[in-house]
Amino acid sequence: MNKERRKALSDIMEQLEELKSSVEEIQEDEDESRENMPENLQGTERYERSEEASENLSDAVSSLEDSISSIGEAIVE
């Protein structure tokens, strides 16, 4: 791989890192919001939707980490 393509992939990795951080922040906000729900709302549909959203965001973070890793491996090879 030439220098130009490596640089382009490095730039993409940086963008993905920033996106991953943004998703993690949103997930943390959602977790905090759910943790601060009054007891009478725990176990409700709203609580479950929040929990599902956090799980989906966690999956998104994992996918971004996998993408970053794969790109990093492509740069090295």
Side-chain angles (χ1 to χ4, degrees), residues 3-7 13 19 26-27 30 34-35 37 39 43-44 50-51 54 56-57 61 63 65 73 75:
K3 184 177 179 179
E4 183 178 306
R5 285 190 286 268
R6 280 193 174 101
K7 172 68 173 126
M13 283 178 61
L19 291 171
I26 294 168
Q27 180 187 6
E30 186 65 26
R34 187 176 59 258
E35 290 168 5
M37 280 187 187
E39 283 187 37
T44 63
S50 175
E51 202 168 43
S54 287
N56 288 330
L57 292 170
V61 168
S63 294
E65 288 171 344
E73 290 173 16
I75 291 172

Side-chain angles (χ1 to χ4, degrees), residues 5-70:
R5 285 190 286 268
R6 280 193 174 101
K7 172 68 173 126
L9 288 173
S10 271
D11 291 345
I12 291 170
M13 283 178 61
E14 285 180 33
Q15 292 169 5
L16 289 172
E17 285 285 355
E18 290 174 16
L19 291 171
K20 183 181 78 108
S21 292
S22 295
V23 173
E24 286 173 327
E25 286 178 30
I26 294 168
Q27 180 187 6
E28 289 171 8
D29 288 346
E30 186 65 26
D31 289 343
E32 185 177 328
S33 174
R34 187 176 59 258
E35 290 168 5
N36 291 323
M37 280 187 187
E39 283 187 37
N40 65 333
L41 290 179
Q42 294 178 6
T44 63
E45 183 179 338
R46 178 178 173 191
Y47 186 90
E48 289 176 12
R49 283 195 317 256
S50 175
E51 202 168 43
E52 187 175 326
S54 287
E55 289 172 8
N56 288 330
L57 292 170
S58 178
D59 290 345
V61 168
S62 292
S63 294
L64 288 166
E65 288 171 344
D66 290 344
S67 296
I68 293 164
S69 177
S70 294

